[in-house]
């Protein structure tokens, strides 16, 4: 059964491609040609970061890694990429020139809007699937997913 579970997880991960259904759907939800051209170059983490920044009028960059569950280095590289794509503005904080703050451009706001619409759609579809299971089964599944997220750490330790 473990092999089947890992295979399903690999299938799930493989769906995150440049032409996946979610991106095709999002592309159909906007009239903005810049967003249509850009959306296929964004990965799931990029879109999550844009949406997270969009939940704040201004977000100190140092808070971003904890909000998106990633390392500081990964978040910083993503912010640089997203700023280059014209979705995020990175500027010095007015009260501390050593730290950065983030805010969205108009295109970034549109990507965040699309992510919100997609989340609503996925939440509705997931609720239909979840209706076949008890709260206890769903809680146990969620617990297992959390443990699976820790697999690399347990299997490989602190390999650098």
């Amino acid at each position: 059964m473990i092999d089947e579970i890992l295979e399903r997880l690999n299938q799930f991960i493989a769906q995150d491609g440049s032409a996946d259904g979610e991106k095709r759907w999002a592309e159909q939800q906007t009239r903005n040609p810049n967003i249509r051209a850009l959306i296929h170059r964004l990965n799931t983490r990029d879109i999550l970061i844009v949406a997270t920044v969009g939940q704040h009028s201004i977000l100190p960059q140092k808070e971003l890694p904890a909000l998106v569950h990633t390392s500081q280095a990964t978040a910083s590289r993503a912010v640089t990429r997203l700023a280059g794509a014209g979705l995020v503005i990175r500027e010095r904080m007015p009260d501390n020139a050593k730290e950065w703050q983030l805010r969205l451009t108009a295109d970034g706001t549109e990507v965040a809007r699309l992510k919100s619409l997609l989340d609503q759609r996925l939440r509705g579809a997931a609720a239909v699937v979840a209706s076949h299971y008890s709260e206890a089964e769903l809680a146990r599944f969620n617990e297992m997913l959390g443990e699976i997220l820790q697999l690399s750490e347990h299997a490989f330790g602190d390999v650098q």
Side-chain angles (χ1 to χ4, degrees), residues 45-60:
R45 180 177 289 140
D46 292 337
I47 295 168
L48 176 61
I49 288 172
V50 170
T52 301
V53 172
Q55 292 170 354
H56 304 82
S57 56
I58 294 178
L59 177 66

Side-chain angles (χ1 to χ4, degrees), residues 57-125:
S57 56
I58 294 178
L59 177 66
Q61 186 170 338
K62 69 181 181 180
E63 293 179 17
L64 183 62
L67 294 172
V68 296
H69 309 287
T70 192
S71 70
Q72 181 68 42
T74 299
S76 183
R77 284 190 299 271
V79 165
T80 298
R81 194 172 49 256
L82 294 168
L87 298 173
V88 172
I89 296 170
R90 182 178 182 236
E91 55 198 4
R92 297 283 182 188
M93 293 187 72
D95 58 342
N96 183 348
K98 293 181 181 182
E99 293 186 19
W100 296 94
Q101 63 186 17
L102 308 171
R103 60 186 171 89
L104 295 183
T105 64
D107 283 351
T109 300
E110 176 67 2
V111 168
R113 182 188 75 81
L114 293 171
K115 169 76 167 114
S116 177
L117 289 174
L118 179 62
D119 286 349
Q120 290 172 14
R121 187 175 175 100
L122 288 173
R123 196 172 292 110

